[in-house]
Amino acid sequence: DEMDLDRVRAGELSPVFFGSALTNFGVETFLEHFLKMTTSPLSRKTVSGDVDPMRDDFFSAFVFKIQANMNKAHRDRIAFARICSGKYEGGMEVTHVQGDRKIRLNQSTQMMADERKIVENAYAGDIIGIFDPGIFSIGDTLCDSREKVCFEGIPTFAPEHFARVKQIDTMKRKQFTKGIYQIAQEGAIQIFQEIGSGLEEIIVGVVGVLQFEVLTYRLKNEYNVEVAMDVLPYEYIRWVDYSPVPIDRIQGTSDMKRVQDLKGNPLLLWANEWSIKMTLERNDGLKLSEFSRN
């Protein structure tokens, strides 16, 4: 049947292709259909309006992915940014909106499998890899200094599985902290601290339990840190949007835990879904939300 491209582009319909990359069966057909489904660069929403991708006079880009240790020999970190408007030129100075600082984009790369090449020019719709010394986060905006914009972030789905994680060798605290922090910044896991505690022992939240295994493997192989993991009974999490009292004075339930994310934002965990309603009933004016944005 003819595909309804409008529904595909609206996110209402997901095309599915069957074939074999191993035997090359159907690959050419898939690529032909993939090209038909793509569009020229589309406008992207900011908190104050849309950015036209055809604006030649205004550079803007959106950080949508961060990957640590792409080259383990150099312990590098790459922030992948999609150019939303204007032209990228090697060495150009832009504003990092969330960090409220000016930075120079040098040595940006484009990648194909294991190959990297330095990019001198790129345009709306292109993706470039930017060396990240630890200043970028998913959802960040880069743009010309003369006209600041801030793109809407990417939704963060609430984790459904939680575990307490700590390093086995206490002498490797620095590697543990660095590893857990960098992997969390990639967006695959979310990490929380019990309020008032440090990063020696943290709570990890994931959407799927397989991510616990990936975390353990990466900490050992990329950061040389072995960890112990204790699964916790919590299944529900809410961000505290507003509380009429300090977080430690919220009247909760016996299965509730108070935590904070890396930015210090307070959250509540529960083992039972009915406890959420009970907590709201016990705290007049308390406002909670299930999702957040990067």
Side-chain angles (χ1 to χ4, degrees):
D1 295 339
E2 189 64 30
M3 191 179 301
D4 188 339
L5 288 180
D6 288 337
R7 291 183 64 197
V8 171
R9 289 164 185 163
E12 300 171 357
L13 189 69
S14 296
V16 178
F17 294 86
F18 296 91
S20 171
L22 193 63
T23 62
N24 209 30
F25 173 74
V27 174
E28 186 174 351
T29 304
F30 162 70
L31 292 174
E32 288 174 355
H33 280 83
F34 181 77
L35 288 173
K36 289 179 183 177
M37 287 188 290
T38 58
T39 67
S40 56
L42 302 175
S43 60
R44 187 172 188 93
K45 291 183 178 180
T46 73
V47 296
S48 57
D50 290 351
V51 169
D52 183 352
M54 300 307 168
R55 279 194 61 181
D56 295 331
D57 63 331
F58 178 65
F59 172 83
S60 64
F62 178 77
V63 177
F64 67 92
K65 176 182 172 65
I66 292 175
Q67 182 70 50
N69 299 327
M70 293 197 67
N71 184 336
K72 289 167 67 173
H74 296 286
R75 293 282 187 203
D76 63 343
R77 238 165 71 114
I78 301 293
F80 290 91
R82 180 187 185 275
I83 300 173
C84 301
S85 67
K87 177 183 178 182
Y88 162 81
E89 296 178 327
M92 70 186 300
E93 186 179 80
V94 299
T95 293
H96 175 217
V97 175
Q98 283 73 12
D100 193 25
R101 71 180 89 184
K102 291 183 180 180
I103 60 173
R104 194 167 296 280
L105 299 181
N106 293 315
Q107 298 286 305
S108 296
T109 59
Q110 286 185 329
M111 303 180 188
M112 178 66 71
D114 291 335
E115 296 181 9
R116 302 189 190 193
K117 67 175 183 178
I118 302 298
V119 177
E120 294 299 332
N121 297 293
Y123 303 86
D126 288 341
I127 293 171
I128 58 174
I130 304 166
F131 170 71
D132 179 14
I135 64 174
F136 297 122
S137 297
I138 294 173
D140 282 2
T141 298
L142 303 172
C143 65
D144 280 342
S145 303
R146 62 181 183 273
E147 184 184 338
K148 287 185 182 179
V149 299
C150 185
F151 290 115
E152 291 185 346
I154 299 173
T156 300
F157 294 103
E160 299 174 355
H161 307 276
F162 299 87
R164 182 176 283 107
V165 180
K166 59 183 178 181
Q167 76 260 33
I168 294 175
D169 185 348
T170 56
M171 299 299 289
K172 293 186 176 180
R173 178 179 177 275
K174 185 175 180 180
Q175 296 100 305
F176 172 74
T177 302
K178 181 179 180 181
I180 206 86
Y181 185 78
Q182 288 190 346
I183 294 171
Q185 285 185 313
E186 295 176 8
I189 66 169
Q190 294 183 51
I191 60 176
F192 311 101
Q193 300 167 251
E194 295 195 41
I195 293 175
S197 70
L199 273 178
E200 295 86 355
E201 188 173 293
I202 53 96
I203 294 174
V204 173
V206 299
V207 175
V209 291
L210 183 61
Q211 289 167 311
F212 286 140
E213 295 181 30
V214 173
L215 173 62
T216 302
Y217 177 84
R218 289 192 61 188
L219 285 172
K220 183 176 181 179
N221 284 269
E222 295 177 21
Y223 300 92
N224 195 29
V225 176
E226 292 195 48
V227 295
M229 189 174 295
D230 298 318
V231 176
L232 299 172
Y234 309 108
E235 294 183 22
Y236 304 94
I237 185 170
R238 295 291 186 272
W239 275 258
V240 179
D241 288 339
Y242 172 76
S243 175
V245 297
I247 182 114
D248 59 350
R249 289 174 55 194
I250 291 176
Q251 299 297 311
T253 53
S254 60
D255 63 333
M256 188 184 86
K257 178 178 281 292
R258 301 168 178 85
V259 296
Q260 63 186 20
D261 65 10
L262 287 178
K263 298 177 181 178
N265 299 314
L267 303 100
L268 302 175
L269 305 177
W270 297 269
N272 302 293
E273 188 173 15
W274 54 263
S275 297
I276 303 172
K277 183 179 179 182
M278 187 173 292
T279 302
L280 286 168
E281 290 174 350
R282 291 177 176 177
N283 298 270
D284 188 36
L286 180 65
K287 294 181 180 179
L288 308 174
S289 63
E290 187 170 354
F291 299 103
S292 182
R293 280 182 176 269
N294 279 308

